[in-house]
Amino acid sequence: MRPTGRRAARTAFTVAEIVVVVALVSVVVALLYRFLLSGSRSVSLGAEELEGVRRANLALERIKRDLRSLCDVVGVTGGTSEIDSTGHTLTFQRFSSEPSGNKPAAFKVVYKAEKVRVTRAGEPADGVRLRGYYGDATTPVLDEDCFTEVRFKKYRLNGLSYYQVRMGVPDVTGKSGKTHWLQTSVGSRYYHTFTQDPNWLALDESHYETARGGRGIR
Amino acid sequence: MLRTARPAGFSLVEVVLAVFLVGLAVIPIFTTLGQASRGTVDLENEALAVGLATEALEWVKGVGFAGWSQALEDGGRAMKLPAALQADRSGGRLSWSEPRVVAFKSDEPGTDVDYPESSIPFAREVVMTFVRAPGSEVQALHAVATVRWKLNVRGNPERRVAMELMLHGVRP
């Protein structure tokens, strides 16, 4: 016998309720998915971009370390620092960390920025190895596919020479299309110490053991 | 006779409330994702700020202890810097401050010290203080280079990088 009078207790959802709930849940899930997807995508792109900045930083540190040991060897071709007109090639002499006899040893370093590739050559090869190093032994590739532009510039300030290094890291998100820049200026520790010394005189080839021969005392 | 029993399912109001609560709960997730992305931008700025602070300390090191001692005496009038040098002789303090990092003239024409556009929102300050250990002839010049910038996000929080340097010498 069917219950009479008021309606019996509801034991399930009505179709209308289910439809509304499914619709609401779908909307929430769709929104969540979209937000989470774009969020995780921007985080991973950010991490990739950060990796570019980190690599550029490593390269910049390498260049700074070389420039801090820069020296000028007067009277030798290529004995003084040189930057080509495009600002993409920097050539200079630097002290070796291993002196030869009682003289400091110097050798030539060439940084070349070609498109997105930066190479560093020591003459003779000084065996500098970098994390993630590749390329041949004499001209290791400092980094590749990491920069949009690398520029070297020399300027004098208060009578002293400084080398400005600018590196551009591309925006991999492609949203802004802009470049993230890293830049600093470095001066040679040795050069500045000498010029601060009132008894300083320009040092000629005879003071160095250069890579071009010149072994022994002249 | 049967009375209407309490409904066993959820009512529409309950479901809407539940959805609203779930919505509230996911807000922190989005906030975390946003912060992670902001952190990336911040680290990029930090790399550039470190470069700018390093550059200022290179200039300090280049001029040297004797040069800055002279600047304290004569106010550094002949000194070429991105901003005017402030000299406080009685306090043994030298400083310069750049509200925005912009290009300035070097010693030679055509080789201005210039910066990428993204450096402009940075402010740089260098403070140098002469310090002396009691009873010692030797003094030190303590230099601090601080680079500040603001993140372009809600609340506009300020970030800064500070680097320091000590130069030793004997002041005349």
Side-chain angles (χ1 to χ4, degrees), chain A residues 91-107:
Chain A
T91 310
F92 57 97
Q93 294 275 344
R94 65 151 286 179
F95 282 108
S96 166
S97 53
E98 291 171 12
S100 174
N102 59 357
K103 285 174 158 187
F107 65 95

Side-chain angles (χ1 to χ4, degrees), chain A residues 8 16 19 24 28 38-39 42 84 123-124 139 148 159 162 170 188 200 205 210:
Chain A
V19 167
L24 275 173
V28 169
S38 72
S42 79
D84 73 347
E123 293 178 16
T139 315
T148 49
Y162 295 92
S188 163
W200 177 78
E205 195 182 358
T210 66

Side-chain angles (χ1 to χ4, degrees), chain A residues 68 153 156 158-159 184-185 196, chain B residues 51 55 58 62 80 107 112:
Chain A
R68 281 189 173 129
K153 184 177 171 179
R156 285 177 73 81
N158 301 307
T184 197
S185 295
Q196 281 166 24
Chain B
E55 177 180 74
E58 287 289 318
K80 265 207 172 91
D107 289 359
D112 291 358

Side-chain angles (χ1 to χ4, degrees), chain A residues 3-13 17 20-21 24-25 28 31-32 35-36 39-40 42-43 46-47 49-50 53 57 64 68 151 153-160 162 164 166 179-187 189 192 196, chain B residues 1-12 15-16 19 22 26 29-30 33 36-37 40 43-44 47-48 50-52 54-55 58-59 61-65 78-81 104-108 110-118:
Chain A
T4 57
R6 296 186 66 151
R7 273 172 50 190
R10 292 166 59 186
T11 55
F13 301 109
E17 283 171 340
V20 169
V21 168
L24 275 173
V25 168
V28 169
L31 281 173
L32 265 178
F35 280 126
L36 280 172
S40 69
S42 79
V43 166
E49 202 152 295
L50 204 59
V53 172
N57 242 333
K64 272 161 68 179
R68 281 189 173 129
R151 194 197 71 177
K153 184 177 171 179
K154 182 180 177 180
Y155 63 88
R156 285 177 73 81
L157 197 64
N158 301 307
L160 297 165
Y162 295 92
Q164 192 183 63
R166 182 182 292 185
T179 298
H180 303 293
W181 294 101
L182 274 82
Q183 178 175 308
T184 197
S185 295
V186 194
R189 291 285 172 276
H192 288 182
Q196 281 166 24
Chain B
M1 182 175 145
L2 284 172
R3 283 183 61 92
T4 306
R6 188 182 162 79
F10 300 106
S11 71
L12 187 59
V15 171
V16 168
V19 168
V22 169
V26 296
I29 297 173
F30 298 141
L33 286 172
S37 154
T40 309
L43 279 168
E44 286 163 9
L48 184 52
V50 166
L52 296 172
T54 304
E55 177 180 74
E58 287 289 318
W59 296 333
K61 205 173 280 187
V63 171
F65 186 92
M79 199 75 81
K80 265 207 172 91
L81 292 167
F104 68 100
K105 289 193 187 313
S106 67
D107 289 359
E108 294 159 349
T111 58
D112 291 358
V113 185
D114 59 351
Y115 298 94
E117 208 179 314
S118 51

Side-chain angles (χ1 to χ4, degrees), chain B residues 8 11-12 15 18 20-21 25 28 31 44 46 57 71 77 85 92 106-108 115 130 132 146 148 153:
Chain B
S11 71
L12 187 59
V15 171
F20 175 72
L21 286 174
T31 312
E44 286 163 9
E46 198 174 304
L57 291 182
R77 283 186 295 275
L85 186 72
S106 67
D107 289 359
E108 294 159 349
Y115 298 94
F130 285 94
R132 185 207 294 264
T146 310
R148 293 184 169 84
V153 294

Side-chain angles (χ1 to χ4, degrees), chain A residues 109-152:
Chain A
V109 174
V110 182
Y111 277 104
K112 259 189 191 165
E114 296 161 318
K115 290 182 184 171
V116 293
R117 176 182 154 111
V118 179
T119 56
R120 175 196 184 277
E123 293 178 16
D126 58 342
V128 165
R129 293 289 183 271
L130 301 163
R131 207 187 306 173
Y133 156 82
Y134 61 101
D136 62 61
T138 50
T139 315
V141 176
L142 200 63
D143 216 324
E144 202 164 37
D145 297 330
C146 174
F147 315 113
T148 49
E149 194 191 323
V150 178
R151 194 197 71 177
F152 302 108

